[in-house]
Amino acid sequence: MARKATSQDVADHAGVSRSAVSFVMNGRADGNIAKDKQLLILAAAKELNYTPNSVARSLQAQRTHTIGVVTDSIAGGPFAGKLLQGASSAAFQAGYLLLVIDTASEDIREDGAFTTLLNRQVDALVFAAMSLRAHRPHAAMHGTPSVLANSFDPAGTLRSIIPDEVAGGRAAAQILLDAGHTAIAYLSGTGELVATERRTEGFNAAISEAGLPAIKARETGWEINDGFVAAMHLLADDGGHSPKRERPTGVVCANDRVALGVMLVCGQLGLRVPEDLSIVGYDDDEPLARTTVPGLTTVALPHREMGEKAIELLLGDLRSGDRDQAGGTILVPCPVVMRGSVAVPAQ
Amino acid sequence: MARKATSQDVADHAGVSRSAVSFVMNGRADGNIAKDKQLLILAAAKELNYTPNSVARSLQAQRTHTIGVVTDSIAGGPFAGKLLQGASSAAFQAGYLLLVIDTASEDIREDGAFTTLLNRQVDALVFAAMSLRAHRPHAAMHGTPSVLANSFDPAGTLRSIIPDEVAGGRAAAQILLDAGHTAIAYLSGTGELVATERRTEGFNAAISEAGLPAIKARETGWEINDGFVAAMHLLADDGGHSPKRERPTGVVCANDRVALGVMLVCGQLGLRVPEDLSIVGYDDDEPLARTTVPGLTTVALPHREMGEKAIELLLGDLRSGDRDQAGGTILVPCPVVMRGSVAVPAQ
DNA sequence: TATTTAGCTTGACATTTGTGACCCAATGGA
DNA sequence: TCCATTGGGTCACAAATGTCAAGCTAAATA
């Protein structure tokens, strides 16, 4: 394969000037170039299979059709890449490509990442965190269309796209309420994560609105074993020591791994899921939640959608030509994924 | 923030010509530019914080310092992105960035992906599959430095980087052999995957070299539940129906999810891991393998290393200026990850 | 003093594209 | 006949860079 054909090659081949080729390729031919010559040029272009050199085009137009993405860690969690996949495909459809730099959570690298992207003349910037957290946006993000994805600016100067965790927590509770449960337990995870706080807020709101007494969250870790231990305390018969402790018929878990731990305890104790205990997970940790028996009903984190939304927003900016945008928070809903781990409580 | 500074701006600011600036920035100043002017130019560059516009540079040099990656699916498996992470960081260190396009396993998109990347003048190409498989390389990959990662060309015209699955299967067996096990079971997964075949080949070789009788693989699926079911058959006491069936003291599993299923059965049957049964997984499915109790000893797939290796190879090509490379297969070893699920067998 | 030479500096070109300004021929109207 | 208009097409510029060849100044040599 020789050198790529240039517009000059096409012009020579068709016996016209390079400008004529350019006009045809950019849809400005009507009224400038005769119909027959248009066809001639088009034929020549096809024969040499000419496609404009997008580097030269970028230089001239001052637009690279490229969006820079700086991320925490591509391979971090189990849903790693879902956000990127959403962003990538939304961008590609609009003729844009992504330049992704992974800082591996080392803040020192962030500065280098942004200046590298700026040198490359990206049209817009995204900062994406792999788990929801506050993040002060880099200086480079002002003066170029930018959004934060799955993270938010404490100062509120930049738009941020985050999951609607409050609604998510509410939805998780509502799944059980709708099925008719009243004895509900809540394993909340631990730490001061903002996601956890908001989920708990939503959960409490739903319980209270349903007219049930407040439910105290039981703090657990985030792993299978943490769910296992917590469920042991929660479900095992204590021999009648504590007075009239009611065993819950449904439980909302901090994430799907914890939910799996609960499932395992049920197996051990001879409790059937969902007949004896309904379980709701969180995150839609796919290979896990889909392959348990029964499948885990869970509230999904909308990673893919956040990625798509981020790009949509930026493309809007680019079309309208705005340089700097006001801040604001876009909440993306957390859809409920119904599988088989929830049922009507036994009488 | 105004327009980015150009080399002309720096030249004006320092009172010299643009060429002088260019010389200084590219280390060709000695013997061409007086020392004091060099300092002057450097100062001006720093003050305007000038960095060369890499689009213009790319156009001029016919090199974009960009490598195109076409992939099956970024968010496919649980290790999705590890390969990309390795590639990305290796590239970044050398001043290259990655342009990644995800075809979502739809072959129709592949053509568009490659031509898009070619238009963008990428210096090199990678095709990466998320699970090991044969893949006929796209025409675009000839004529530009290219490699296949985690996939191989049936015609053998292109270099491919794949895990050394034979050695991996051998290593899995060897872990148990080294610990002194002789009663070993093998849950092999199912389907005609090339990875499985090679692992089995390696497993059998190790067993035979150890002087043990051949072990028949038990086909299972790939999920937690498949491991659960298989282990039930394998471990449950059948009440003495089959004559003198020896219970294995160690088991090699097709992947970590299957291994988890086996662990669960042990819990149910009251068998302790690793005292009563040693378990070896495969894949190093991280959040899972690390958080079981005990941690799962497993053979890791070298996704990260394959990504790094792919980039190293391509950077070598680019440095040497070769346009087309001969085919060949690079095997990347699968390292053993020792955790707690293997012990010396009980007497 | 004339001429070479070394050191330093700059002008000009090439990379490829899109586009505003321009040119030419022909036609229509005055 | 002359001017203006218009359709059809081209020239030249701008985008920012790297580099080669040429130019210039001052010192050094014959």
Side-chain angles (χ1 to χ4, degrees):
Chain A
M1 185 204 275
R3 204 181 85 271
K4 261 198 60 172
T6 75
S7 68
Q8 183 68 61
D9 296 337
V10 177
D12 293 349
H13 204 264
V16 296
S17 80
R18 205 177 52 74
S19 312
V21 177
S22 179
F23 277 138
V24 172
M25 301 310 283
N26 294 292
R28 292 190 30 180
D30 290 351
N32 285 323
I33 310 286
K35 277 275 179 287
D36 53 342
K37 288 216 173 176
Q38 290 190 35
L39 295 177
L40 204 63
I41 291 170
L42 249 27
K46 176 145 288 180
E47 187 181 336
L48 302 177
N49 66 40
Y50 166 74
T51 48
N53 178 329
S54 73
V55 176
R57 191 184 228 160
S58 295
L59 180 61
Q60 149 19 61
Q62 306 283 59
R63 282 223 174 172
T64 55
H65 279 73
T66 303
I67 296 176
V69 181
V70 176
T71 170
D72 252 326
S73 130
I74 306 181
F79 356 76
K82 272 200 177 178
L83 193 151
L84 288 179
Q85 204 182 30
S88 179
S89 87
F92 188 72
Q93 277 183 345
Y96 281 72
L97 288 183
L98 261 37
L99 232 29
V100 181
I101 300 185
D102 188 341
T103 65
S105 295
E106 294 175 28
D107 290 351
I108 320 133
R109 298 197 189 178
E110 201 179 303
D111 198 54
F114 277 106
T115 58
T116 300
L117 291 174
L118 246 44
N119 286 354
R120 297 257 181 164
Q121 311 280 97
V122 294
D123 296 340
L125 288 168
V126 180
F127 176 86
M130 278 314 155
S131 62
L132 182 60
R133 63 186 181 89
H135 184 265
R136 182 179 307 280
H138 190 272
M141 299 188 86
H142 301 106
T144 303
S146 302
V147 294
L148 299 172
N150 206 27
S151 60
F152 51 92
D153 177 8
T157 58
L158 223 62
R159 283 165 304 176
S160 57
I161 299 170
I162 59 177
D164 190 349
E165 299 273 15
V166 177
R170 185 186 292 267
Q174 202 63 46
I175 296 169
L176 293 178
L177 293 171
D178 287 348
H181 293 265
T182 53
I184 297 174
Y186 179 44
L187 307 182
S188 73
T190 186
E192 307 237 323
L193 279 78
V194 62
T196 306
E197 288 170 5
R198 296 187 185 172
R199 284 177 204 175
T200 301
E201 181 189 334
F203 177 86
N204 289 336
I207 295 296
S208 132
E209 281 167 24
L212 294 182
I215 292 169
K216 187 150 172 296
R218 178 185 289 262
E219 283 204 8
T220 69
W222 298 99
E223 300 306 333
I224 297 174
N225 199 53
D226 298 314
F228 193 94
V229 171
M232 271 299 185
H233 284 264
L234 195 67
L235 301 174
D237 200 359
D238 67 350
H241 287 302
S242 50
K244 189 174 140 292
R245 197 164 58 110
E246 193 184 13
R247 195 163 70 188
T249 61
V251 56
V252 170
C253 302
N255 69 15
D256 289 351
R257 294 202 295 279
V258 170
L260 177 61
V262 175
M263 270 196 177
L264 300 183
V265 170
C266 290
Q268 206 121 330
L269 298 180
L271 294 173
R272 294 164 304 163
V273 178
E275 291 83 353
D276 300 322
L277 184 72
S278 288
I279 302 179
V280 174
Y282 211 107
D283 290 358
D284 194 24
D285 193 342
E286 275 232 38
L288 190 154
R290 193 192 295 158
T291 60
T292 54
V293 181
L296 187 57
T297 292
T298 188
V299 178
L301 285 176
H303 283 105
R304 198 194 164 85
E305 289 77 7
M306 286 192 289
E308 288 171 353
K309 191 71 193 169
I311 298 299
E312 278 172 29
L313 243 51
L314 293 176
L315 291 179
D317 295 357
L318 292 173
R319 267 189 281 272
S320 72
D322 293 355
R323 274 273 144 273
D324 219 334
Q325 225 72 23
T329 301
I330 292 94
L331 292 175
V332 182
C334 299
V336 169
V337 180
M338 285 294 191
R339 294 202 177 90
S341 64
V342 170
V344 174
Q347 287 314 23
Chain B
M1 186 203 275
R3 203 181 86 271
K4 260 198 59 172
T6 76
S7 68
Q8 183 68 61
D9 296 337
V10 177
D12 293 350
H13 204 264
V16 296
S17 80
R18 203 176 53 74
S19 314
V21 177
S22 179
F23 276 138
V24 172
M25 301 311 281
N26 294 293
R28 291 189 32 180
D30 291 349
N32 284 324
I33 308 287
K35 278 276 178 288
D36 54 341
K37 286 214 175 178
Q38 290 191 35
L39 295 177
L40 204 64
I41 291 170
L42 250 27
K46 175 144 286 178
E47 188 181 336
L48 302 177
N49 65 41
Y50 166 73
T51 49
N53 178 329
S54 74
V55 176
R57 190 183 229 162
S58 295
L59 180 61
Q60 197 296 116
Q62 305 282 62
R63 280 220 173 175
T64 55
H65 278 75
T66 303
I67 296 176
V69 181
V70 176
T71 171
D72 252 325
S73 128
I74 306 181
F79 355 77
K82 272 199 178 179
L83 193 151
L84 288 179
Q85 204 181 30
S88 179
S89 88
F92 188 71
Q93 277 183 344
Y96 282 73
L97 288 183
L98 262 38
L99 232 29
V100 181
I101 301 184
D102 188 341
T103 66
S105 296
E106 294 176 28
D107 290 351
I108 321 132
R109 298 197 190 177
E110 202 180 303
D111 198 53
F114 277 106
T115 57
T116 300
L117 290 174
L118 245 44
N119 286 356
R120 297 256 180 166
Q121 311 281 98
V122 294
D123 296 339
L125 289 169
V126 180
F127 176 86
M130 279 315 155
S131 61
L132 182 60
R133 64 186 181 90
H135 183 264
R136 183 180 307 281
H138 190 272
M141 299 187 86
H142 301 107
T144 304
S146 302
V147 294
L148 299 172
N150 206 27
S151 60
F152 51 92
D153 176 9
T157 58
L158 223 63
R159 284 165 303 176
S160 57
I161 300 171
I162 59 176
D164 190 349
E165 298 273 14
V166 177
R170 186 186 291 267
Q174 202 64 44
I175 296 170
L176 292 178
L177 292 171
D178 287 348
H181 293 265
T182 53
I184 298 174
Y186 179 44
L187 308 181
S188 72
T190 186
E192 307 235 325
L193 278 77
V194 62
T196 306
E197 287 170 5
R198 294 187 185 173
R199 284 177 203 177
T200 301
E201 181 189 333
F203 176 86
N204 288 336
I207 296 296
S208 131
E209 282 167 25
L212 295 182
I215 292 170
K216 187 149 173 295
R218 178 185 288 263
E219 282 205 6
T220 68
W222 297 100
E223 300 305 333
I224 297 174
N225 199 53
D226 298 314
F228 193 94
V229 171
M232 271 299 185
H233 284 266
L234 196 68
L235 301 173
D237 200 1
D238 66 351
H241 288 302
S242 50
K244 189 175 141 289
R245 195 165 59 110
E246 193 184 12
R247 195 163 69 188
T249 61
V251 57
V252 170
C253 303
N255 69 16
D256 290 350
R257 293 202 296 278
V258 171
L260 177 61
V262 175
M263 269 196 178
L264 300 183
V265 170
C266 290
Q268 207 122 329
L269 297 181
L271 294 173
R272 292 163 304 164
V273 178
E275 291 84 354
D276 300 322
L277 183 72
S278 289
I279 302 178
V280 175
Y282 211 107
D283 290 357
D284 194 25
D285 193 341
E286 274 232 39
L288 191 155
R290 192 193 294 158
T291 60
T292 55
V293 181
L296 187 59
T297 291
T298 187
V299 178
L301 284 175
H303 283 105
R304 199 195 163 84
E305 289 77 8
M306 288 193 289
E308 289 171 354
K309 191 72 193 168
I311 298 299
E312 277 171 30
L313 244 53
L314 293 175
L315 291 179
D317 294 358
L318 292 173
R319 265 189 282 273
S320 71
D322 294 356
R323 273 274 144 273
D324 219 334
Q325 226 71 23
T329 301
I330 292 96
L331 292 175
V332 183
C334 299
V336 169
V337 180
M338 286 293 192
R339 293 200 177 92
S341 64
V342 171
V344 174
Q347 286 313 24

